[in-house]
Amino acid sequence: MTSTSRIAKNTLFLYFRQILIMLVSLYTVRVVLDVLGAEDYGIYNVVAGVVVLFSFVNNAMATSVQRYLTFYIGKNDAEKTQAVFSRSLVIHGLICLVFILLAESVGVWFLNTKLNIPAERSTAAFWCYQAAAVTTLINIIRVPYNAVIIAYEKMSFFAGLSIVEAVMKLLVVFLLGISPFDKLAAYSFLLAAVALVILAVYVFYCGRNFAAAHYKKSADKDLGRELVSFSGWSLFGAAANVANSQGTNIVLNIFTDVTVNAAMGIANQVNAAVYSFVGNFQTAFNPQIVKNWAAGEKEQFYILLQRASKFSFYLLFLIVLPLHLNCEFVLGLWLKNVPEYSVSFVRLILIWSLLESLNGPLYTAVQATGRIKMYQTILGILNLLNLPLTITAFFLKASPVWLLYIRIGLNAVGLGFRIYCCKKYTGMKSMEFILNSVVRPVFVAVCSFFFVGALGTLFSGTKYFFITCITGFIFSSVFILAFGMSRAEAVMLLRKLHLNRS
């Protein structure tokens, strides 16, 4: 099977998965918010954020394992592939021990002394924290198995199990309604139970289907050091990413209250549901980008890199445009009670995601080369700047929405630096990439937003929603085909659509 056909097949599996997961997830958030209330939902988001702060080591290691597994599969080196998996199991076991020590000492102290949680909910918040810690522990153990499935591009299983996980979380919501226990604590522990079941399935499937997914003591100590060294440079970047996402969420709690955290939680849920379409697309692309680099097929590598960034933006924009224009209407329809700042948070975080969609493939390309020292250091510093800049904005009495204005600005700077790194480490023609994969998408977005927004002013209410959704898709599609792609790409896309239809 050609790389293009494999990417197309895997993307279809992942898209089918995501449509179902998105519907289930959005309904789940609606019910959970209604059952828990804005206060408890805000507590859950900020408490879970504290736990995630201590998982940055795992995030760095996950990147390392994924890269090396995919790289050695691309080189058809079965022995090295199994050695990477075996070493990663040992390393993740050690990460679990470090995580437990940090979470049960520094984490508990921070929860009890620094977070702005109502006194009457402190006990429930503590048990919520413990359950979130168990869930994170399980997810740390799951990383090597998840990496194997992605590296071997078994997206049908990945998609199927993700759907099962989403349905189980929906079942949790129904159980929550009849639970005689505290709703916040019960919700947290039920999610931990779901994570444990999914881990068991991952271990069973990988053990039966992949020879590499069995522990074998390896004498190659250099490989273990290489894995740790690579993840060591990723560690700073991973810590900065966590500080960016969860640290600013904690800052938001300290300077405001848990209802604003609830609004941010809703924005993150919407963004996760929308961005996951692009995430799936990039999940299908990423192994091929790494394997092409490992095999020395640089021309195909450059083509995949440009198309992955550009098409990611277009796929996301088709959803973002109508959602951005109808944000207040959609949130009102979706939620029974919409917390303050939710609409502004959602609109801004969607703009941030459009930029992030361009960044994803560039990140994979740099990871493929293995030269990540300067990359991770500079981007880590950019991400860490979110905290002092956000704190400064709050001291100056700025609105909470400035948290996202700052994040968007720093992400734009990060995009420029990623392009520079790809030029330096892979030989990519930066101006060609900028014109094809940045300028074209931004031009399409501006034109589409202008035309659809102008047309929408003639309508209101439900008519406005349907008109902007329909015209948004039509105008965006026309602009994408006319200006957003090369002639060869447009012809290829139309031909594939015609073949699929016939």
Side-chain angles (χ1 to χ4, degrees):
M1 185 183 293
T2 65
S3 62
T4 303
S5 299
R6 186 179 294 110
I7 289 169
K9 178 183 176 182
N10 288 336
T11 302
L12 285 175
F13 277 127
L14 294 171
Y15 260 72
F16 174 71
R17 155 195 181 263
Q18 194 50 45
I19 289 171
L20 291 177
I21 290 176
M22 184 182 71
L23 294 173
V24 172
S25 298
L26 292 178
Y27 177 74
T28 300
V29 172
R30 171 190 167 93
V31 178
V32 169
L33 182 60
D34 184 47
V35 173
L36 294 184
E39 184 177 82
D40 273 8
Y41 187 70
I43 291 172
Y44 175 80
N45 276 278
V46 73
V47 167
V50 174
V51 175
V52 174
L53 277 174
F54 298 107
S55 65
F56 64 90
V57 176
N58 179 59
N59 295 341
M61 200 63 222
T63 300
S64 179
V65 174
Q66 185 71 68
R67 186 265 177 185
Y68 277 90
L69 281 174
T70 307
F71 187 85
Y72 285 118
I73 291 171
K75 283 186 169 294
N76 294 313
D77 191 332
E79 184 178 347
K80 282 281 191 180
T81 303
Q82 184 173 22
V84 170
F85 176 81
S86 300
R87 286 291 181 183
S88 70
L89 283 179
V90 174
I91 292 168
H92 278 81
L94 294 174
I95 291 172
C96 286
L97 293 176
V98 174
F99 171 78
I100 291 170
L101 290 173
L102 289 173
E104 294 303 322
S105 56
V106 179
V108 172
W109 168 81
F110 191 85
L111 172 72
N112 291 331
T113 62
K114 299 298 179 183
L115 290 187
N116 183 17
I117 294 173
E120 67 274 11
R121 301 301 294 147
S122 58
T123 301
F126 173 80
W127 289 112
C128 172
Y129 177 87
Q130 296 299 332
V134 171
T135 302
T136 304
L137 204 62
I138 292 168
N139 289 333
I140 291 172
I141 299 169
R142 192 168 95 178
V143 166
Y145 298 96
N146 185 77
V148 166
I149 291 167
I150 299 298
Y152 279 104
E153 301 182 69
K154 298 298 182 182
M155 303 306 177
S156 56
F157 171 80
F158 181 71
L161 188 57
S162 297
I163 293 169
V164 171
E165 185 174 8
V167 172
M168 290 179 69
K169 288 180 179 178
L170 181 61
L171 179 61
V172 164
V173 173
F174 292 125
L175 291 175
L176 194 62
I178 61 174
S179 171
F181 305 105
D182 181 273
K183 303 297 183 185
L184 178 59
Y187 178 63
S188 305
F189 277 103
L190 285 170
L191 288 182
V194 169
L196 183 61
V197 171
I198 297 301
L199 171 64
V201 177
Y202 264 100
V203 173
F204 178 76
Y205 177 84
C206 289
R208 289 200 59 175
N209 291 278
F210 307 113
H214 292 85
Y215 178 78
K216 181 180 179 182
K217 190 173 182 179
S218 173
D220 189 354
K221 295 182 179 179
D222 290 337
L223 179 60
R225 283 193 289 267
E226 192 176 347
L227 276 168
V228 173
S229 175
F230 188 91
S231 66
W233 288 116
S234 299
L235 186 62
F236 181 58
N241 283 330
V242 170
N244 178 17
S245 58
Q246 303 303 329
T248 49
N249 198 32
I250 292 171
V251 169
L252 194 65
N253 173 261
I254 293 171
F255 282 93
T256 57
D257 57 57
V258 290
T259 59
V260 181
N261 283 113
M264 182 58 76
I266 289 167
N268 286 329
Q269 288 288 342
V270 172
N271 183 58
V274 172
Y275 192 82
S276 55
F277 284 95
V278 173
N280 290 329
F281 179 71
Q282 292 180 354
T283 298
F285 254 99
N286 289 343
Q288 286 298 319
I289 291 175
V290 177
K291 288 174 184 177
N292 275 310
W293 180 263
E297 298 173 0
K298 290 192 176 181
E299 284 305 312
Q300 184 64 15
F301 171 85
Y302 298 138
I303 291 170
L304 284 176
L305 180 55
Q306 285 196 31
R307 289 180 177 174
S309 288
K310 180 166 50 179
F311 293 167
S312 293
F313 185 97
Y314 295 146
L315 286 170
L316 185 60
F317 183 72
L318 288 171
I319 304 171
V320 165
L321 178 59
L323 185 54
H324 191 280
L325 292 171
N326 295 280
C327 189
E328 191 169 356
F329 176 81
V330 171
L331 290 184
L333 195 67
W334 172 37
L335 304 172
K336 293 182 179 180
N337 298 297
V338 182
E340 188 182 3
Y341 294 111
S342 297
V343 173
S344 298
F345 284 166
V346 169
R347 283 177 171 157
L348 288 171
I349 206 167
L350 290 176
I351 294 172
W352 178 86
S353 280
L354 284 172
L355 279 172
E356 190 65 15
S357 67
L358 297 173
N359 283 326
L362 293 170
Y363 171 73
T364 301
V366 175
Q367 293 287 98
T369 68
R371 301 171 66 183
I372 61 170
K373 178 179 178 180
M374 181 180 71
Y375 175 87
Q376 292 287 7
T377 302
I378 300 299
L379 284 174
I381 292 171
L382 282 174
N383 276 324
L384 281 177
L385 281 174
N386 273 284
L387 278 176
L389 291 176
T390 300
I391 291 170
T392 301
F394 279 127
F395 272 120
L396 295 174
K397 307 299 181 183
S399 167
V401 298
W402 272 92
L403 182 155
L404 290 171
Y405 285 131
I406 292 167
R407 191 180 296 181
I408 290 168
L410 291 174
N411 205 20
V413 175
L415 173 61
F417 179 71
R418 286 181 173 94
I419 293 171
Y420 166 78
C421 285
C422 279
K423 177 185 178 181
K424 181 179 176 67
Y425 298 142
T426 73
M428 180 189 78
K429 296 176 181 177
S430 57
M431 285 309 300
E432 182 179 316
F433 181 89
I434 290 169
L435 290 173
N436 286 326
S437 299
V438 180
V439 175
R440 282 179 186 262
V442 171
F443 179 76
V444 166
V446 171
C447 291
S448 301
F449 190 85
F450 173 78
F451 278 97
V452 176
L455 184 62
T457 58
L458 302 174
F459 304 91
S460 61
T462 306
K463 285 184 179 180
Y464 178 85
F465 172 75
F466 284 108
I467 291 296
T468 52
C469 286
I470 295 169
T471 59
F473 180 80
I474 294 172
F475 276 113
S476 298
S477 299
V478 170
F479 281 123
I480 288 169
L481 289 171
F483 307 110
M485 299 181 180
S486 67
R487 181 177 176 81
E489 289 169 342
V491 169
M492 178 190 71
L493 179 62
L494 291 172
R495 185 180 294 136
K496 284 187 175 293
L497 290 173
H498 174 73
L499 289 173
N500 288 337
R501 187 179 64 180
S502 59

